[in-house]
């Protein structure tokens, strides 16, 4: 049936139909193969660029973290021979927490726990930040119970000396 119809067409019509078929096949190949591959390539290129930017950010952040960690480590020598227990006690008392520091005890060879009652939350946070910045001490556990709406808390802080 198709062969009979094809034979019935003139040579000029057959040539036009062949050219049309080649064009249609080319357009279909472009639409269903080449174009989607190009779009996917562009998307993957954008993802790769984003991943490279993120990797550069992570590397820069890691360098900054190492620098800050080393800065804290270097200042540990400024303790003048004080243990973590003595350092925490002295710094809390000199940092405005003298009357609210109720207990301080060793928890392990490199950690101490401090308990505060009716302490200003902001003052405790400032004390913790100063210990971390100036002496490389980290908080491994922190809990606080609000006393009232004036910013006072009962808090327990566990500090660790980072090797």
């Amino acid at each position: 049936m198709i062969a009979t119809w094809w034979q019935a067409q003139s040579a000029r019509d057959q040539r036009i139909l062949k050219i049309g078929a080649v064009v249609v096949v080319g357009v279909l190949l472009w639409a269903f193969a080449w174009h989607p591959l190009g779009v996917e390539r562009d998307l993957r290129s954008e993802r790769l660029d984003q991943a490279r930017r993120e990797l550069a950010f992570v590397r820069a952040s890691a360098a900054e973290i190492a620098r800050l960690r080393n800065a804290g480590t270097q200042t540990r020598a400024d303790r003048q021979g004080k243990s973590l227990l003595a350092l925490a006690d002295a710094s809390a008392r000199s940092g405005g927490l003298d009357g609210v520091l109720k207990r301080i005890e060793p928890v392990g060879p490199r950690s101490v726990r401090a308990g505060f009652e009716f302490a200003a939350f902001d003052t405790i946070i400032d004390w913790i930040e100063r210990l971390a910045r100036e002496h490389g001490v980290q908080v491994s556990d922190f809990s606080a119970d609000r006393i009232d709406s004036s910013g006072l808390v009962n808090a327990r802080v566990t500090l660790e000396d980072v090797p």
Side-chain angles (χ1 to χ4, degrees), residues 79 83-89 91 101 103-116 127 131 137-142 156-161:
R79 288 188 187 177
S83 67
L84 180 59
L85 181 68
L87 175 69
D89 184 52
S91 64
L101 177 64
R103 65 193 154 280
I104 188 161
E105 59 191 6
V107 178
R110 299 181 145 262
S111 60
V112 297
R113 182 177 303 127
F116 301 92
W127 170 68
L131 277 174
V137 175
Q138 290 183 346
V139 174
S140 63
D141 188 38
F142 178 85
R156 288 145 313 281
V157 181
T158 302
L159 303 170
E160 284 191 6
D161 202 1

Side-chain angles (χ1 to χ4, degrees), residues 24-71:
V24 167
V25 168
V27 168
L28 288 175
L29 281 174
W30 179 83
F32 291 110
W34 191 260
H35 180 68
L37 288 175
V39 168
E40 184 65 25
R41 183 194 69 230
D42 293 343
L43 286 174
R44 289 185 186 262
S45 177
E46 289 175 23
R47 287 182 193 150
L48 180 61
D49 290 342
Q50 178 65 26
R52 285 180 177 152
R53 286 191 297 274
E54 289 172 0
L55 178 61
F57 174 76
V58 167
R59 285 182 176 160
S61 297
E64 179 68 9
I65 289 169
R67 185 188 67 75
L68 291 172
R69 182 173 288 143
N70 289 336

Side-chain angles (χ1 to χ4, degrees), residues 14-24:
Q14 287 179 357
R15 196 173 43 248
I16 290 173
L17 287 172
K18 287 178 186 177
I19 292 171
V22 168
V23 168
V24 167

